[in-house]
Amino acid sequence: MTGPAAGQVSARTGAAPEGADGGGGAPADVRRWSGLSGKLLILTVLFVMLSEVLIFVPSMANFRNTWLNDKLTIAGVAASVLVETDMVSPAVQAELLRTTGAVAIALNDGDRRRLIAMAPQAVAGDDIRMTIDMGEADPVTSIMQSVHTLLAGGEGFLRVVGPSQMGLGGRVDIVLPQAMLRDAMLGFAVRILALSLVISAITATLVYLSLRWMFVRPIRRLTGSMARFQAAPDDPARIIVPSARNDEVGDAERRLAGMQAKLAETLEQRRQLANLGLAVSKINHDLRNLLASAQLFSERLEMVSDPTVQRLAPKILATLDRAVGYTRSVLDYGSAREAPLRRRLVRLDVIARDVGEVLGLSGEGDVAFDNRIPQGAEVDADPEQLFRILMNLSRNAVQALRADDNPAAVRRLTLEADCGFEGATIRVSDTGPGIPPERRDQLFHPFQSAAKKGGTGLGLAIAAELAHAHGGSIRLLDRPGPGASFELVIPARAARGDSASD
């Protein structure tokens, strides 16, 4: 139970401590640009600028077309006014050229071409770098011609042709300096670029802050909770408190909280097992000495001539020998690991009979013992470990049967088995109340499956561990009828491909 108080408070509220990197790596200020925040900011700026570029190019082409159409409109209106005039004065021509910025304006009406105004300087054919027909302008062509105008350097002239105005037939034909169009486009580019930068900065900032608030901060909160929980997994205050979000982040928080709670519970169980193992080892050491003394006293019973004593003394000695063997196994397990199996071919019916006698079920009593295992049935197993498995299963069943004090209740424990070349399948059934559905998932976990209040909950866990040591399995059968039925499968070594001896 370690950790500063500030860390515990922030763990309860679900917020990461200030400056926490959430993963035990570089600090947050060092990873600012290499982490998700920095990458998110860079990508946001790049994508916004890319979108602005995609908007900027068509905008330039649209400005160019609008600018040229305005010039054609002015020239067309002047041409419609002066079309009936035989002679246009030089002053009017100069004003018209100044207004449009053109060096020549003409009106084409079929095969007839009429010059409206022209600057004193002559324009040679080689000086016209591009002819633009505004009546046939399409978006792709306009974009390509706009890029060409910007990169051309402003030298030479442009010839622009378009429909006339004021209901007149024909087309207006003007010649413009390319530099004038280029200067207008550059001015527009500067204005739209400045506006784009402002829009990009505002958009990028809003998108970055939104994504950081919605995704980056919750992810850092998750990693921070992982780091705090890793530092002290046994501290319940380190478990993340899920937020009320209903999206994927909220689902991740809830799953992380469940995983941390499950891990904390598992660690608590392991700690209980460790403490229990230490306590059992200490108690077992003294218990072994007491059992040895009990063996000496029991051996003296063999010299008593009473028939009942003569019948029970060997069983008492056999039980004490088995108990001493268990204490030795406990000490061996505490020092290293459980002793390896000593498998051999044994009679299953005899082991089942011993289980009934040790539990006191061989005579008339409150629990009937129905041993249906065929006489002479054989199984390839460690006899002592198999006895422990059946003992734990049967003891749990007897405890469950005796927990019901209804005198009309039927209390019966039944052992059945199918033995063959591939191994043995053993069933231990009772007529008790059965296993509640909410306890079935944790049935074979330590401290989870006590048959009665105050039990240790280790019987089924021990049985499952010993069954797995034989390469077999144990499970609760889902069957109709009263009580519970456990199925134990012990495969033969030949069926599993094992060697002849363990």
Side-chain angles (χ1 to χ4, degrees):
M1 305 292 181
T2 60
Q8 295 183 8
V9 172
S10 57
R12 293 182 184 274
T13 59
E18 189 69 25
D21 65 338
D29 53 349
V30 176
R31 300 192 323 172
R32 189 178 305 277
W33 299 107
S34 61
L36 284 178
S37 298
K39 294 177 181 177
L40 178 61
L41 177 60
I42 294 174
L43 289 177
T44 302
V45 172
L46 289 178
F47 289 151
V48 171
M49 292 302 298
L50 178 61
S51 63
E52 291 294 339
V53 169
L54 296 178
I55 297 174
F56 174 78
V57 174
S59 298
M60 289 297 299
N62 182 68
F63 171 80
R64 164 191 171 272
N65 292 343
T66 302
W67 191 88
L68 293 177
N69 282 324
D70 289 343
K71 300 300 181 181
L72 286 176
T73 300
I74 295 174
V77 170
S80 64
V81 174
L82 302 175
V83 67
E84 300 299 334
T85 303
D86 294 334
M87 181 65 67
V88 180
S89 66
V92 174
Q93 293 186 27
E95 181 63 23
L96 181 59
L97 294 177
R98 186 189 65 81
T99 303
T100 59
V103 295
I105 301 175
L107 181 63
N108 298 330
D109 185 8
D111 296 336
R112 181 183 177 188
R113 177 181 176 85
R114 183 173 181 181
L115 184 63
I116 303 299
M118 185 174 180
Q121 68 271 24
V123 178
D126 296 340
D127 294 336
I128 298 178
R129 305 299 173 85
M130 184 185 302
T131 299
I132 303 174
D133 190 345
M134 298 304 297
E136 299 178 359
D138 59 87
V140 177
T141 303
S142 298
I143 291 175
M144 294 179 61
Q145 291 178 349
S146 299
V147 174
H148 178 270
T149 301
L150 288 174
L151 301 178
E155 299 178 355
F157 295 88
L158 298 175
R159 181 187 177 192
V160 184
V161 181
S164 62
Q165 304 295 321
M166 304 297 289
L168 295 176
R171 297 162 63 83
V172 179
D173 190 346
I174 63 176
V175 177
L176 298 169
Q178 188 170 218
M180 187 170 61
L181 174 60
R182 183 174 181 272
D183 292 341
M185 292 176 64
L186 289 176
F188 175 78
V190 172
R191 294 190 299 273
I192 195 173
L193 181 60
L195 180 61
S196 299
L197 289 176
V198 174
I199 295 176
S200 299
I202 296 175
T203 304
T205 301
L206 293 177
V207 172
Y208 169 74
L209 293 177
S210 300
L211 294 180
R212 179 180 173 83
W213 180 266
M214 295 176 61
F215 300 107
V216 177
R217 291 185 75 252
I219 291 176
R220 292 186 62 185
R221 178 171 179 260
L222 289 174
T223 55
S225 175
M226 293 177 188
R228 290 190 302 274
F229 185 80
Q230 181 183 12
D234 55 350
D235 185 1
R238 302 298 181 95
I239 298 177
I240 188 173
V241 179
S243 63
R245 298 180 60 151
N246 294 323
D247 54 7
E248 290 79 0
V249 175
D251 184 59
E253 291 175 347
R254 289 185 289 272
R255 291 181 180 274
L256 177 61
M259 181 186 68
Q260 290 176 339
K262 184 66 176 178
L263 181 58
E265 179 184 355
T266 302
L267 291 175
E268 180 64 23
Q269 293 178 1
R270 295 295 185 267
R271 183 164 46 255
Q272 291 182 11
L273 285 175
N275 295 335
L276 177 63
L278 180 59
V280 167
S281 297
K282 294 177 180 179
I283 297 172
N284 192 76
H285 181 270
D286 296 333
L287 180 61
R288 184 180 178 188
N289 295 332
L290 294 176
L291 290 174
S293 300
Q295 279 182 308
L296 294 177
F297 295 140
S298 300
E299 289 175 356
R300 297 179 183 179
L301 293 176
E302 295 180 339
M303 297 183 292
V304 179
S305 59
D306 185 271
T308 302
V309 175
Q310 291 294 325
R311 182 172 58 86
L312 295 178
K315 296 181 179 179
I316 295 175
L317 287 174
T319 302
L320 289 174
D321 289 339
R322 182 174 285 121
V324 172
Y326 288 169
T327 60
R328 184 181 301 110
S329 298
V330 171
L331 292 177
D332 291 341
Y333 186 85
S335 60
R337 60 182 181 85
E338 190 154 352
L341 298 178
R342 293 184 176 91
R343 299 185 66 163
R344 54 180 298 184
L345 202 60
V346 296
R347 289 185 55 179
L348 181 59
D349 60 322
V350 175
I351 295 178
R353 184 187 63 197
D354 291 344
V355 170
E357 292 180 351
V358 172
L359 292 175
L361 304 178
S362 55
E364 295 295 332
D366 58 342
V367 178
F369 182 60
D370 187 4
N371 185 1
R372 299 182 183 178
I373 298 177
Q375 187 174 3
E378 298 177 350
V379 60
D380 178 19
D382 184 316
E384 293 299 327
Q385 306 296 10
L386 181 58
F387 176 85
R388 291 176 63 188
I389 297 175
L390 297 180
M391 174 62 75
N392 281 296
L393 293 176
S394 300
R395 181 186 291 113
N396 282 352
V398 171
Q399 291 176 348
L401 291 170
R402 288 174 175 168
D404 185 3
D405 56 359
N406 188 346
V410 176
R411 302 178 180 88
R412 182 171 57 249
L413 173 64
T414 304
L415 269 65
E416 303 172 284
D418 298 322
C419 301
F421 173 76
E422 295 183 353
T425 300
I426 308 168
R427 289 174 294 278
V428 180
S429 308
D430 63 71
T431 57
I435 307 296
E438 63 272 12
R439 288 173 51 191
R440 296 190 176 189
D441 292 340
Q442 306 292 328
L443 197 58
F444 298 100
H445 292 190
F447 308 112
Q448 296 291 328
S449 57
K452 64 178 181 178
K453 185 177 181 180
T456 61
L458 291 173
L460 291 179
I462 294 173
E465 182 179 356
L466 295 176
H468 293 157
H470 281 82
S473 62
I474 184 172
R475 66 188 181 100
L476 175 65
L477 295 179
D478 187 9
R479 67 182 181 94
S485 180
F486 289 89
E487 182 182 78
L488 170 66
V489 177
I490 303 294
R493 281 174 290 181
R496 295 192 300 123
D498 296 347
S499 57
S501 61
D502 289 319

